C-alpha cells in the first residue's frame, strides 16, 4: 500500500491499526513487543507518540486474563 497520509480514510487507518500496522502506510509494524509501541514507523517514519495509549492496553489484557483466571478458579471450586 503506497497511500499518502491524506488518502488514508478513518476506516482504512482503523483497519491497519487492528492489523498491528502503521495507520498511515499500512506496512510498518506498530508494536515492538507484545504491548510495547514502537517510537515511529520504520517504513514511512510516522511518529507514534500521538497514539500512545499509556497503560490502557495493559489494563485491558489484565481484565481479560483476570476474567479467565477467576472463571477457571470458580469452575475448579465447584467441581472439586
Ligand atoms: Zn508507516
Amino acid at each position: 500500500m503506497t497511500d499518502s497520509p491524506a488518502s488514508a480514510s478513518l476506516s482504512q487507518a482503523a483497519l491497519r491499526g487492528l492489523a498491528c500496522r502503521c495507520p498511515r502506510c499500512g506496512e510498518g509494524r506498530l508494536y515492538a513487543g507484545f504491548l510495547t509501541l514502537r517510537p515511529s514507523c520504520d517504513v514511512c517514519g510516522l511518529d507514534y507518540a500521538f497514539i500512545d495509549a499509556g497503560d490502557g492496553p495493559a489494563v485491558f489484557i489484565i481484565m481479560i486474563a483476570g476474567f479467565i483466571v477467576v472463571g477457571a478458579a470458580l469452575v475448579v471450586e465447584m467441581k472439586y
Side-chain angles (χ1 to χ4, degrees), residues 21-29 40-46 48:
R21 295 295 173 181
C22 170
R24 182 161 70 181
C25 68
E27 295 186 14
R29 299 176 142 244
S40 64
C41 177
D42 52 354
V43 176
C44 70
L46 177 67
Y48 291 156

Side-chain angles (χ1 to χ4, degrees), residues 5 9 16 31 38 42 44 48 60 69 73 80:
S9 68
R16 290 170 181 170
Y31 292 99
R38 287 176 180 267
D42 52 354
C44 70
Y48 291 156
F60 193 65
V69 168
Y80 302 103

Side-chain angles (χ1 to χ4, degrees), residues 14-72:
L15 288 175
R16 290 170 181 170
L18 287 174
C20 300
R21 295 295 173 181
C22 170
R24 182 161 70 181
C25 68
E27 295 186 14
R29 299 176 142 244
L30 198 55
Y31 292 99
F34 183 58
L35 292 174
T36 307
L37 198 65
R38 287 176 180 267
S40 64
C41 177
D42 52 354
V43 176
C44 70
L46 177 67
D47 186 12
Y48 291 156
F50 73 100
I51 55 174
D52 187 7
D55 291 335
V59 170
F60 193 65
I61 294 297
I62 289 170
M63 295 287 279
I64 292 172
F67 180 78
I68 292 170
V69 168
V70 169

